[in-house]
Amino acid sequence: MRPDIQSLYRSTKHPIAFIDESFETHGPDSFYILAIVLVEPARLDSVRQRVAKLNSGHAIHASDLGFKKAYGLLDDSVALLANDHDSADIIYARPFQNGDITGEKTRQLCLQTALSTLHREFETELFVLDSRRLKDADESDRRTAGDLRKVRKVSRNARLLHVWPAEELLLSLADILAWTYRQKLTNRDSRWFSALEAEVKVTRVGDS
């Protein structure tokens, strides 16, 4: 693990948020899902070890498992998430915000809600997000966090960290959560989310 990531983990006292996305860009059926899984700092290593053991040391990408029909590993992944999180949230918008073609405006609305809610309810200051590959895209997230600092909806110490799943296996938990809720939202197979539903807070934002 990168030394800067380890240093941030050691310095935080509050639950750490791991965040991933799932979205659909097509017209009236568009949606944006932001999945958040919290893990207490003291449990990071033990939960990470269980994720690593489940998939031979590799990050879990639920969509790939679904495509390959690797249902046994999917079942085990969902069970791991159900048993090994300290809180879990879904924030989604359906459809995209008016005039939002790419989904970026809608993502930032979801992220704004996530950051302010997690700070208010859990005092979370460290948010670990799956990097979106484009520097400008990750910078857009940081601008949202900066705007929230200005109005004191997150701590001035709040930090967004964009990493690859291979660098932080705990992003797998958010990936699994986002995928399971996507199955429910698109009326494909709600059984995957049903195992988590009682413990996941779901919030819809934006235009209905």
Side-chain angles (χ1 to χ4, degrees), residues 5 16 34 49 110 126 130 147 150 152 155 178 201 205:
I5 299 176
I16 298 168
L34 211 59
Q49 288 170 7
C110 292
L126 182 56
D130 189 354
D147 290 342
K150 292 175 184 176
R152 300 183 179 181
S155 166
K201 178 183 175 183
V205 297

Side-chain angles (χ1 to χ4, degrees), residues 69-129:
K69 298 183 179 180
Y71 298 135
L73 184 50
L74 269 173
D75 275 327
D76 291 343
S77 299
V78 172
L80 174 69
L81 174 57
N83 294 323
D84 257 330
H85 71 274
D86 294 300
S87 184
D89 292 83
I90 287 287
I91 295 172
Y92 80 101
R94 185 179 193 180
F96 283 176
Q97 296 295 283
N98 290 333
D100 187 9
I101 298 173
T102 65
E104 186 60 30
K105 178 181 176 183
T106 307
R107 175 190 171 88
Q108 297 310 318
L109 175 64
C110 292
L111 184 61
Q112 185 181 72
T113 303
L115 300 183
S116 59
T117 300
L118 293 171
H119 171 67
R120 184 179 67 251
E121 295 184 357
F122 300 98
E123 299 183 86
T124 293
E125 294 181 338
L126 182 56
F127 305 87
V128 182
L129 298 91

